[in-house]
Amino acid sequence: MRIGELARRAGTSTRTLRYYETHGLVRSGRSANGYRVYDEAELRVVREIRSLLAIGFGLDDIRPFVACLRAGNDSGDVCPDSVAVLRRKLAEVDDYLDRLGDVRRRLHDQLAHAIAQREETCLRTRGPAD
């Protein structure tokens, strides 16, 4: 299939496909007239790339998944290198969530302190209630 058809079927642009190709993720051949032509298997590769990009993977992280598909697997996440990337990404997300939890606790404490300070200031300004 030509680049326009692959782009349409994968839900992306021809420019994006050329970008993936430049980075070695997508493979094309050339027709007699010089047009890029893609094997049907490249559609699965592009869908895998787009799926992984959508959840925050970088192009280098995606390489093992593409290699796994090219090795004939039905899924790009069943190979050891892909599993290693998934484990690393999960550890990164867990670390990020831990740090966000720390930030949340500090913000909560700061807010509670600010509210207490404000109430104390209001009581001093108004005096005790009668």
Side-chain angles (χ1 to χ4, degrees), residues 9 37 48 55 102 109:
R9 290 178 63 192
V37 290
E48 183 85 3
I55 59 171
D102 291 342
D109 292 347

Side-chain angles (χ1 to χ4, degrees), residues 8 12 15 27 32 34 41 52 63 69 72 78 90-92 105 111-113 119 128-129:
R8 182 184 53 74
T12 192
R15 183 177 181 180
R27 295 178 184 165
L52 292 167
R63 290 182 195 290
L69 286 173
V78 297
L90 184 58
E92 288 173 13
R105 280 186 288 283
L111 177 60
H113 178 73
E119 289 173 359

